[in-house]
Amino acid sequence: MEGSENDGGATPIAKWKSDFSRTFQYYLDRSTPHTTERWLGTLAVAIIYVLRVYYVQGFYVISYGLGIYVLNLLIGFLSPKVDPELEALDGASLPTKDSDEFKPFIRRLPEFKFWYAITKAFVVAFVLTFFSILDVPVFWPILLCYWIFLFFLTMKRQILHMVKYKYVPFDLGKQRYTNKKSASSSGTPRN
């Protein structure tokens, strides 16, 4: 009998959690096709975080950790799902010649998950700025210089990887081909 009372007491909380989770997932799914609006929202959250850090003049270690996390996410976003270096050992690799089979670029971290992780990171970092115990006194210019050094070193390695295996992680839309024959004959009238 006591077990049923405990279950009855936890049921409203479990129901609320389930309803909240379902509603949150509904709005998350509805936001999927609205890429620009999602990123503008994330930019607003990032600006609020930066203003909070600037206003309190602290929490530089949290900001550094956030920067490292975002850099890690960026590497996942720019990397292919299947690493060509490992595939080259197996015999299958990205096409390097025109005669090779076309393989589309598939990201290790898709855009939506990239956006969602960055937004969550900024929200968590913002909440952490309200706990004074996490405001560790550091000389922030050293952290900034070290992060910039890591950023350029990592991006150099990633760009060299892209050049070596000839892949572009950005979709610039549908390719348009021009017909040389129609361009050269456009000056002459047709009969």
Side-chain angles (χ1 to χ4, degrees):
M1 193 80 172
E2 288 179 26
S4 63
E5 288 178 354
N6 289 340
D7 293 341
T11 303
I13 293 173
K15 183 180 180 330
W16 177 84
K17 182 180 177 186
S18 174
D19 289 345
F20 176 78
S21 176
R22 190 176 302 113
T23 304
F24 181 75
Q25 189 63 45
Y26 171 77
Y27 285 112
L28 201 60
D29 292 343
R30 296 264 324 245
S31 73
T32 302
H34 306 287
T35 307
T36 305
E37 291 83 1
R38 285 189 284 118
W39 282 104
L40 287 175
T42 299
L43 180 64
V45 170
I47 288 171
I48 290 169
Y49 172 76
V50 169
L51 289 174
R52 168 79 177 147
V53 169
Y54 177 76
Y55 174 72
V56 297
Q57 294 291 313
F59 298 100
Y60 302 120
V61 172
I62 292 174
S63 298
Y64 177 73
L66 175 65
I68 294 295
Y69 181 67
V70 168
L71 182 61
N72 187 24
L73 290 174
L74 183 63
I75 290 168
F77 180 70
L78 295 176
S79 299
K81 186 174 186 176
V82 179
D83 190 6
E85 288 181 345
L86 300 176
E87 286 293 315
L89 298 174
D90 296 337
S93 64
L94 288 172
T96 55
K97 301 177 216 158
D98 289 337
S99 62
D100 287 348
E101 178 185 349
F102 172 73
K103 295 180 184 176
F105 181 80
I106 300 172
R107 299 178 190 285
R108 186 181 330 153
L109 181 64
E111 183 272 334
F112 185 80
K113 289 183 179 180
F114 178 56
W115 164 79
Y116 187 59
I118 284 181
T119 305
K120 280 194 315 188
F122 273 105
V123 169
V124 168
F126 179 76
V127 169
L128 291 178
T129 62
F130 290 98
F131 298 100
S132 61
I133 196 166
L134 299 174
D135 188 12
V136 179
V138 294
F139 187 61
W140 66 267
I142 291 176
L143 288 179
L144 180 63
C145 290
Y146 186 60
W147 185 85
I148 290 171
F149 174 74
L150 280 176
F151 177 80
F152 283 111
L153 191 66
T154 305
M155 286 299 108
K156 177 184 173 191
R157 185 179 58 85
Q158 189 66 35
I159 290 170
L160 289 174
H161 193 266
M162 288 182 215
V163 169
K164 180 178 179 183
Y165 293 102
K166 299 178 183 168
Y167 66 89
V168 179
F170 304 108
D171 183 14
L172 303 175
K174 185 176 178 181
Q175 287 184 341
R176 305 224 183 252
Y177 299 100
T178 58
N179 189 352
K180 292 182 182 180
K181 186 175 181 181
S182 66
S184 64
S185 65
S186 63
T188 61
R190 293 185 186 184
N191 293 333

